[in-house]
Amino acid sequence: MTSARSARSAGPGLRRLGVAGTALGALLLGLATTTPTASAAPVTHEAETATVSQGLVESNHTGFTGNGFVNYDNATGSYVQWNVNAAQAGPATLTLRYANGTTTNRPMDIAVNGAVAASGKAFAGTGAWTNWATTTVTTTLKAGANTVRATATTANGGPNVDHLTVDNATTPPPTTGSTPAAINGQLKVCGTKLCNQYNKPIQLRGMSSHGTQWYSQCLTGGSLDALAKDWKADVLRVSTYVQEEGYETDPRKYTDLAHSLIEQATARGMYVIVDWHMLDPGDPHYNLARAKTFFTEIAQRHGAKTNLLYEIANEPNGVAWSRIKSYAEQLIPVVRAKDAETPILVGTRAWSSLGVSDGANESEVVSSPVNATNIMYTFHFYAYSHRDEYLNTLSRAADKLPVFVTEFGTQNYAGEGDNDFAMSQRFLDLMAAKKISWVNWNFSDDERSGAVFKTGTCDAGGTWTGTSSLKPAGVWIRDRIRTADDFPTS
C-alpha cells in the first residue's frame, strides 16, 4: 500500500493495520584523556616461521618481510598458527599483513587460544599479489603463552599471509566520561550479538532522524549536541529516503547531506546508522543500482571510521524473503569492496517485521540466512499496534539471529495517536535483557505524536536541551536513553 505523506508532515506512513512502522569532525571531541602505561613495543611474527597446515612457504612475489610468506592451499580449514608470548594480560591489537591478487574476498576466522575472536574476517582483493595490505583484530591475551590461528573459511583458502604483528602496549580502557564510539571502537557481530572492540556484547540506544528531505532543520549543531550530551545517545540513524522527494530527485544533494551528518555525529562521539530508507516501492531491487552508487561512495569516504553501521534496506514489503535476500547478496559485496569491517543491517520481510505483518515469522530467515558475515537483521515495531505476537517473535529471533531494532515507536503503526508506554517498556525490558540495540522514531518536530519535539521547535531553532520542547513521547524516550550504559571493556 502506498504511503500517504506530504513534505514536512510525513510519518512512518499509512499502511494496513498491524504493519510495522517505517520509518572531518574531530572524533576526539568530548573524549576523556588517558595516560599510556609503559609496555613493550609491538612484536612481528613472520608467517614462514609459524605452524602451517595446508599451505606452502614461498617467496615468488616481492614486497614481503622476513624470508617469505605463506601461500594457503585452496581449501577450507587451511591455516597459519603463531605462538605469541604476552608480557601482560589485557587487550591487544593483532595486525595481519596479507596480499590477495584475486577479486574475491578470502575470509578467515581469527582464533586466539582456541576461541574465535573474529569470525569470517574479510581479506578482500588487494589488486595484485605484490600489493600488501593490513587488517586488524582487537582481542584479549593472557599473560605468557598464547596461540593465534588464521583459518580459511572457504574453498578458496586464505590470502598470502606475510606476518602477524602483536601490540599489547595498551592504554587503560577509556574512562566513563568517554563517548560511546571511543569506548567501544570498531563494532562487529559475534554470534547473535553486537560486540565492541573488546569482543563484549553491547546494546546501543539512540534516535532516528526523520527524512532528511523534510526535516534537516531539526539536525543542527545545537540539536546534535543535545542528543549526544543531554540525551546521552549512543547512536544517530540518518534516514536518507530514496523516493518521496528524496535521493532519487537529487542524488548529489542527499549524498552530501548524509556525508555531513555522518561527520557531525562522528565529531560528537556517536555511532551512525546510514539508513537507505526505501519504502515504496517495497521491492529493494527497484533501487539496487541507486543503492550501489550511494553505498560505494559512503563506504569509500567513511569506511575507515569505526563508528558506522550500514542499513541497506529500511522496510522491504510486498515481496518474499528470497527477494530481499537476493538484493542483500548483490549489494553487500559492493559495500565490502570499499569497507571490510563495518556491520551491515539487512531489512526483513513485511516492513522489517521478520515477516509477522504478513503472517510469517523469523523462521524463514533462520532457515535461509543471507550468505554474508558481520551482518544483522532489522526489526521494527510500534507498541500501540504491535503486541505480544511481535514481542514474542523478537524474543525468539534474538536467540537465533543477530537482530537490531532500527526503528520503533510508542504509538500506532503510523507513528501517531496515543502512546502505549506500558507495552513499549515491555519491549525495552526484553531488549535490555538480550542486549538488542534500538533506535526510536523520530528526532523531529513533525506534528505526529511520535516526533519528539513540539511542532515548530525546529523552525524556531528552539530549546534543544531539557524537556520543555518535548512531547510526551520525547520526554519518555529521553529518560530511557539517558540511563547509564553498560559497555564492558574486560
Side-chain angles (χ1 to χ4, degrees):
M1 177 176 179
T2 54
S3 59
R5 286 193 179 88
S6 61
R8 300 301 318 282
S9 66
L14 304 180
R15 314 184 192 114
R16 78 175 83 173
L17 183 63
V19 171
T22 73
L24 256 205
L27 180 58
L28 299 178
L29 183 64
L31 302 190
T33 301
T34 56
T35 303
T37 57
S39 52
V43 177
T44 296
H45 303 265
E46 296 293 344
E48 65 270 22
T49 63
T51 300
V52 178
S53 175
Q54 299 183 83
L56 296 173
V57 174
E58 296 184 345
S59 58
N60 56 323
H61 299 301
T62 61
F64 56 83
T65 60
N67 298 319
F69 54 86
V70 171
N71 179 358
Y72 279 65
D73 288 353
N74 293 343
T76 302
S78 50
Y79 68 81
V80 175
Q81 178 172 299
W82 295 268
N83 294 321
V84 172
N85 189 67
Q88 58 187 7
T93 300
L94 311 179
T95 302
L96 288 100
R97 189 170 190 260
Y98 73 97
N100 180 358
T102 75
T103 58
T104 302
N105 176 32
R106 296 190 170 192
M108 296 199 291
D109 286 346
I110 312 301
V112 177
N113 298 324
V116 175
S119 177
K121 180 76 172 177
F123 289 82
T126 58
W129 293 110
T130 54
N131 291 343
W132 298 90
T134 60
T135 189
T136 62
V137 173
T138 303
T139 189
T140 301
L141 298 179
K142 61 184 180 180
N146 297 264
T147 60
V148 177
R149 179 180 291 191
T151 305
T153 60
T154 71
N156 290 322
N160 287 352
V161 173
D162 184 24
H163 65 237
L164 167 72
T165 298
V166 179
D167 183 3
N168 67 329
T170 57
T171 60
T175 66
T176 305
S178 296
T179 65
I183 295 171
N184 292 297
Q186 178 66 61
L187 303 179
K188 54 182 169 290
V189 180
C190 53
T192 60
K193 306 299 183 186
L194 182 65
C195 292
N196 64 12
Q197 63 178 322
Y198 302 104
N199 299 310
K200 302 297 183 181
I202 63 167
Q203 181 193 44
L204 300 180
R205 299 170 298 168
M207 292 299 299
S208 176
S209 76
H210 205 323
T212 55
Q213 77 275 35
W214 296 309
Y215 290 95
S216 61
Q217 73 277 12
C218 295
L219 301 168
T220 68
S223 71
L224 294 178
D225 280 345
L227 184 63
K229 298 175 184 178
D230 180 50
W231 291 51
K232 304 185 187 302
D234 307 319
V235 57
L236 170 69
R237 182 184 188 229
V238 176
S239 293
T240 300
Y241 277 66
V242 190
Q243 277 70 51
E244 301 182 77
E245 305 170 28
Y247 176 90
E248 69 175 2
T249 68
D250 192 340
R252 183 73 269 143
K253 174 182 176 180
Y254 291 109
T255 303
D256 286 344
L257 183 53
H259 286 317
S260 175
L261 291 169
I262 290 167
E263 296 292 0
Q264 291 182 67
T266 298
R268 290 162 175 83
M270 290 187 286
Y271 286 93
V272 187
I273 298 173
V274 184
D275 167 31
W276 184 245
H277 206 85
M278 53 75 52
L279 174 64
D280 182 19
D283 184 348
H285 281 269
Y286 181 84
N287 288 307
L288 178 58
R290 295 184 182 97
K292 288 180 176 180
T293 298
F294 176 77
F295 280 107
T296 294
E297 181 170 333
I298 294 293
Q300 177 72 43
R301 182 174 301 191
H302 304 286
K305 292 181 170 66
T306 58
N307 65 314
L308 297 189
L309 301 103
Y310 302 128
E311 185 175 1
I312 60 173
N314 165 59
E315 288 189 347
N317 58 89
V319 293
W321 166 243
S322 59
R323 185 76 173 160
I324 303 165
K325 178 183 175 183
S326 168
Y327 164 84
E329 290 177 350
Q330 292 181 61
L331 181 57
I332 289 172
V334 174
V335 179
R336 287 288 177 244
K338 301 297 182 182
D339 181 354
E341 306 293 335
T342 295
I344 293 175
L345 312 179
V346 180
T348 58
R349 182 156 74 96
W351 297 273
S352 284
S353 70
L354 285 166
V356 181
S357 293
D358 276 351
N361 57 43
E362 77 284 356
S363 61
E364 62 185 14
V365 181
V366 173
S367 63
S368 183
V370 172
N371 184 23
T373 58
N374 204 25
I375 67 169
M376 307 186 82
Y377 300 94
T378 67
F379 185 79
H380 295 177
F381 67 88
Y382 283 78
Y384 191 92
S385 296
H386 302 138
R387 316 298 295 178
D388 288 88
E389 184 180 10
Y390 288 77
L391 182 71
N392 293 337
T393 297
L394 176 59
S395 180
R396 291 193 310 270
D399 293 337
K400 302 172 185 175
L401 298 166
V403 179
F404 197 124
V405 174
T406 55
E407 189 177 310
F408 84 92
T410 57
Q411 316 75 32
N412 67 20
Y413 58 87
E416 57 191 15
D418 293 338
N419 294 290
D420 189 336
F421 293 136
M423 188 67 194
S424 299
Q425 189 63 53
R426 290 178 63 196
F427 275 102
L428 261 62
D429 290 344
L430 171 69
M431 292 188 289
K434 298 199 174 188
K435 286 195 178 291
I436 303 169
S437 296
W438 54 257
V439 175
N440 179 259
W441 181 272
N442 70 77
F443 198 67
S444 83
D445 64 353
D446 175 14
E447 75 276 9
R448 291 177 173 84
S449 56
V452 297
F453 293 112
K454 295 175 181 176
T455 303
T457 298
C458 298
D459 286 332
T463 301
W464 303 115
T465 58
T467 60
S468 62
S469 296
L470 299 178
K471 297 174 186 171
V475 175
W476 189 86
I477 197 64
R478 173 181 174 272
D479 283 346
R480 280 141 186 85
I481 292 174
R482 280 169 58 86
T483 58
D485 285 317
D486 177 19
F487 291 150
T489 59
S490 62

